[in-house]
Amino acid sequence: MFSVSRLPDWAKPKEIFDLVRLAVPVALSRSSFMLMGLTDAIILGRHRTDELPLVLVGWLPNGVFMGFGMGLMLGVSVLTAELNGSGKGSETGRIFRRGMLVALAYSIIATLACVVVAAPLLRLLGFEPDFVNSTAQTTRILAYGTLGHMIGIGATFYLEALRRPNIVTVISMVAVAFNLVVDLILVPTYGAVGVVWATTASRTLIAVLSVIAALALTPALKRSPAGPQGEFLRQNKVGLGTGVANVAEWGSFNMTFVIASLVSYAAGTAYGLTVQFLGVIFMVYLGLGTATSVRVAESYGRKDAVGVRNASRLGVVTAFIAGGALALLLLLLRDPIAAFALNSSEDADANAHLLPMLAGLMAVAAFISLFDGQQAVGSMALRAQNVVWWPTAIHVGSYVLLMVPIAWYLALVAGIGVWGVMVGVAVASVLAGCAQVIVLEWKAARGVRTGISSQSSLHAVPPTEVAAASTSAGP
């Protein structure tokens, strides 16, 4: 008979339950961003189908700056989880406060930069003057939400690292409902401008509610002893590497929106809707990645090399299984999903020619999603053990050096159109997913042989000490 004791340590029910109880609420909270984007696309498509590219292309500079900022805040999550895993959760207030200061300073710089570069960047890319003026307006309004985005992400990461993900989920779902209401009020009159104002307002709401929760329910304001020398530098080093990787990935994906829109506005609309649905699946991977990184960082904080390896492996395998199920679901339902997305428009007959294209793009997206999940979980598990630049190099190589040139050449030079964009995305995703998992497994095996990375002056701990280490869920 099959026995639970015969399972690998990383696949024991206790480990799976711990991952799931962290990953599910985090995935729900991360999906809120894509749900807002999907809601925006559907409501805007119903009233002003031709204005969807104004929002998608309007994210170009904002997506880059917000992606870097989101990465910058990862240091809050990693160091908080390390301290909590080693039984020092009450000392994490200094990590939160530093994170909020970094978020504030970065928000000012990023907002000003987006406002200044919006119109010149679009002109440089070759868009028509009317499109430039309208899209620059959406870019500026989205930029006003940078402060809310940064503060909200920092507070969210802090709460999740202290194993308070359910609070974040509730806040995120409240923001989704708020975004929907604002969309319904503004979009019929203001179109794309109404959408971006709803996005900015929703991010601000998340920031306010997340900070209130952190101050009320965690040691965020509790006086804590001074950290070890170099702690603040390490906090930002982890975030800096992740930020660079996010710029590579997010900026490159935003460039694919531009390429698809240069093919035609219809192609831009179909591609944009495809990525929105792909993004909903990706939020599940972000949930698993965040939960995996918390579990890895906790083991890393306890100097438990075997625990780091087991947490990493469980995250990768779970992402593959869950991703496979979601990819199959998207593949089977691509036709009704495409019909729903396009037939919600008041001018559905005019969009009928996009149905085969959108359904086909979603079939390719189902394949891409499998590898997209592996790169997300793998890279986050690596950064949780202070391996910063390997995953960053993989992101830059895959997305900047491969995806964008391939998409540009196939779509605009070879004349394949939006399918060329999807080929570029597929090549980059397969490479990134495989490479991140290979490096993660290599690092985990090396850690078990030689102990936790000597870069942090941590060494392997005898099994008896590991077993006795605290596994507290935190305050």
Side-chain angles (χ1 to χ4, degrees), residues 294-311:
V294 168
R295 299 180 78 244
V296 168
E298 288 175 342
S299 293
Y300 192 84
R302 293 193 296 269
K303 309 174 189 178
D304 177 6
V306 174
V308 167
R309 181 193 63 186
N310 290 343

mmCIF file of all heavy atoms in Angstrom, residues 294-311:
data_model
loop_
_atom_site.group_PDB
_atom_site.id
_atom_site.type_symbol
_atom_site.label_atom_id
_atom_site.label_comp_id
_atom_site.label_asym_id
_atom_site.label_seq_id
_atom_site.Cartn_x
_atom_site.Cartn_y
_atom_site.Cartn_z
ATOM 1 N N VAL A 294 8.604 33.120 0.798
ATOM 2 C CA VAL A 294 8.484 33.283 2.252
ATOM 3 C C VAL A 294 8.999 32.027 2.961
ATOM 4 O O VAL A 294 9.770 32.109 3.923
ATOM 5 C CB VAL A 294 7.022 33.582 2.646
ATOM 6 C CG1 VAL A 294 6.836 33.470 4.165
ATOM 7 C CG2 VAL A 294 6.612 34.981 2.179
ATOM 8 N N ARG A 295 8.585 30.853 2.473
ATOM 9 C CA ARG A 295 9.010 29.604 3.096
ATOM 10 C C ARG A 295 10.519 29.388 2.933
ATOM 11 O O ARG A 295 11.205 28.919 3.849
ATOM 12 C CB ARG A 295 8.239 28.424 2.512
ATOM 13 C CG ARG A 295 6.735 28.522 2.737
ATOM 14 C CD ARG A 295 5.975 27.334 2.144
ATOM 15 N NE ARG A 295 6.107 26.170 3.003
ATOM 16 C CZ ARG A 295 6.705 25.042 2.658
ATOM 17 N NH1 ARG A 295 7.270 24.931 1.468
ATOM 18 N NH2 ARG A 295 6.776 24.022 3.484
ATOM 19 N N VAL A 296 11.056 29.729 1.760
ATOM 20 C CA VAL A 296 12.493 29.613 1.540
ATOM 21 C C VAL A 296 13.255 30.572 2.457
ATOM 22 O O VAL A 296 14.259 30.196 3.079
ATOM 23 C CB VAL A 296 12.837 29.888 0.065
ATOM 24 C CG1 VAL A 296 14.345 30.055 -0.127
ATOM 25 C CG2 VAL A 296 12.332 28.761 -0.836
ATOM 26 N N ALA A 297 12.782 31.816 2.541
ATOM 27 C CA ALA A 297 13.464 32.812 3.376
ATOM 28 C C ALA A 297 13.420 32.427 4.852
ATOM 29 O O ALA A 297 14.385 32.665 5.593
ATOM 30 C CB ALA A 297 12.842 34.187 3.165
ATOM 31 N N GLU A 298 12.310 31.840 5.301
ATOM 32 C CA GLU A 298 12.227 31.397 6.689
ATOM 33 C C GLU A 298 13.273 30.313 6.964
ATOM 34 O O GLU A 298 13.962 30.348 7.989
ATOM 35 C CB GLU A 298 10.819 30.875 6.987
ATOM 36 C CG GLU A 298 9.767 31.974 7.074
ATOM 37 C CD GLU A 298 8.369 31.425 7.248
ATOM 38 O OE1 GLU A 298 8.144 30.225 6.972
ATOM 39 O OE2 GLU A 298 7.482 32.205 7.644
ATOM 40 N N SER A 299 13.381 29.344 6.064
ATOM 41 C CA SER A 299 14.390 28.299 6.227
ATOM 42 C C SER A 299 15.789 28.880 6.136
ATOM 43 O O SER A 299 16.702 28.479 6.868
ATOM 44 C CB SER A 299 14.206 27.205 5.159
ATOM 45 O OG SER A 299 13.004 26.506 5.352
ATOM 46 N N TYR A 300 15.963 29.849 5.241
ATOM 47 C CA TYR A 300 17.261 30.504 5.094
ATOM 48 C C TYR A 300 17.634 31.247 6.377
ATOM 49 O O TYR A 300 18.786 31.230 6.811
ATOM 50 C CB TYR A 300 17.200 31.466 3.914
ATOM 51 C CG TYR A 300 18.535 31.999 3.468
ATOM 52 C CD1 TYR A 300 19.343 31.273 2.595
ATOM 53 C CD2 TYR A 300 18.989 33.237 3.899
ATOM 54 C CE1 TYR A 300 20.569 31.762 2.174
ATOM 55 C CE2 TYR A 300 20.211 33.742 3.489
ATOM 56 C CZ TYR A 300 20.998 32.997 2.627
ATOM 57 O OH TYR A 300 22.209 33.489 2.218
ATOM 58 N N GLY A 301 16.637 31.894 6.999
ATOM 59 C CA GLY A 301 16.880 32.593 8.260
ATOM 60 C C GLY A 301 17.243 31.647 9.382
ATOM 61 O O GLY A 301 17.995 32.011 10.293
ATOM 62 N N ARG A 302 16.735 30.400 9.321
ATOM 63 C CA ARG A 302 17.077 29.385 10.326
ATOM 64 C C ARG A 302 18.357 28.631 9.967
ATOM 65 O O ARG A 302 18.750 27.706 10.669
ATOM 66 C CB ARG A 302 15.928 28.371 10.457
ATOM 67 C CG ARG A 302 14.650 28.929 11.047
ATOM 68 C CD ARG A 302 13.695 27.806 11.438
ATOM 69 N NE ARG A 302 13.256 27.037 10.288
ATOM 70 C CZ ARG A 302 12.168 27.297 9.568
ATOM 71 N NH1 ARG A 302 11.412 28.354 9.875
ATOM 72 N NH2 ARG A 302 11.822 26.536 8.561
ATOM 73 N N LYS A 303 18.974 28.997 8.827
ATOM 74 C CA LYS A 303 20.192 28.341 8.335
ATOM 75 C C LYS A 303 19.940 26.871 8.015
ATOM 76 O O LYS A 303 20.816 26.017 8.216
ATOM 77 C CB LYS A 303 21.325 28.484 9.355
ATOM 78 C CG LYS A 303 21.540 29.911 9.827
ATOM 79 C CD LYS A 303 22.561 29.974 10.946
ATOM 80 C CE LYS A 303 22.613 31.374 11.559
ATOM 81 N NZ LYS A 303 23.555 31.457 12.685
ATOM 82 N N ASP A 304 18.747 26.570 7.503
ATOM 83 C CA ASP A 304 18.331 25.198 7.204
ATOM 84 C C ASP A 304 18.421 24.968 5.690
ATOM 85 O O ASP A 304 17.482 25.245 4.944
ATOM 86 C CB ASP A 304 16.899 25.001 7.711
ATOM 87 C CG ASP A 304 16.340 23.625 7.394
ATOM 88 O OD1 ASP A 304 17.095 22.780 6.876
ATOM 89 O OD2 ASP A 304 15.137 23.407 7.659
ATOM 90 N N ALA A 305 19.551 24.447 5.219
ATOM 91 C CA ALA A 305 19.766 24.253 3.787
ATOM 92 C C ALA A 305 18.806 23.231 3.194
ATOM 93 O O ALA A 305 18.334 23.387 2.068
ATOM 94 C CB ALA A 305 21.213 23.825 3.530
ATOM 95 N N VAL A 306 18.518 22.165 3.933
ATOM 96 C CA VAL A 306 17.577 21.157 3.445
ATOM 97 C C VAL A 306 16.179 21.751 3.322
ATOM 98 O O VAL A 306 15.451 21.482 2.356
ATOM 99 C CB VAL A 306 17.576 19.930 4.380
ATOM 100 C CG1 VAL A 306 16.491 18.946 3.962
ATOM 101 C CG2 VAL A 306 18.938 19.255 4.376
ATOM 102 N N GLY A 307 15.795 22.584 4.294
ATOM 103 C CA GLY A 307 14.496 23.238 4.227
ATOM 104 C C GLY A 307 14.383 24.165 3.026
ATOM 105 O O GLY A 307 13.333 24.252 2.388
ATOM 106 N N VAL A 308 15.461 24.864 2.706
ATOM 107 C CA VAL A 308 15.483 25.735 1.520
ATOM 108 C C VAL A 308 15.240 24.906 0.262
ATOM 109 O O VAL A 308 14.433 25.279 -0.597
ATOM 110 C CB VAL A 308 16.827 26.481 1.424
ATOM 111 C CG1 VAL A 308 16.985 27.139 0.053
ATOM 112 C CG2 VAL A 308 16.926 27.537 2.521
ATOM 113 N N ARG A 309 15.940 23.782 0.145
ATOM 114 C CA ARG A 309 15.779 22.927 -1.039
ATOM 115 C C ARG A 309 14.356 22.381 -1.133
ATOM 116 O O ARG A 309 13.739 22.390 -2.207
ATOM 117 C CB ARG A 309 16.770 21.774 -0.983
ATOM 118 C CG ARG A 309 16.696 20.842 -2.203
ATOM 119 C CD ARG A 309 17.444 19.557 -1.969
ATOM 120 N NE ARG A 309 16.850 18.783 -0.870
ATOM 121 C CZ ARG A 309 17.379 17.660 -0.385
ATOM 122 N NH1 ARG A 309 18.519 17.196 -0.873
ATOM 123 N NH2 ARG A 309 16.789 17.012 0.603
ATOM 124 N N ASN A 310 13.827 21.899 -0.025
ATOM 125 C CA ASN A 310 12.490 21.300 -0.051
ATOM 126 C C ASN A 310 11.413 22.322 -0.387
ATOM 127 O O ASN A 310 10.487 22.041 -1.157
ATOM 128 C CB ASN A 310 12.191 20.637 1.290
ATOM 129 C CG ASN A 310 13.033 19.390 1.522
ATOM 130 O OD1 ASN A 310 13.603 18.828 0.580
ATOM 131 N ND2 ASN A 310 13.127 18.964 2.765
ATOM 132 N N ALA A 311 11.519 23.504 0.196
ATOM 133 C CA ALA A 311 10.535 24.554 -0.094
ATOM 134 C C ALA A 311 10.600 24.967 -1.554
ATOM 135 O O ALA A 311 9.575 25.212 -2.195
ATOM 136 C CB ALA A 311 10.779 25.759 0.810
#
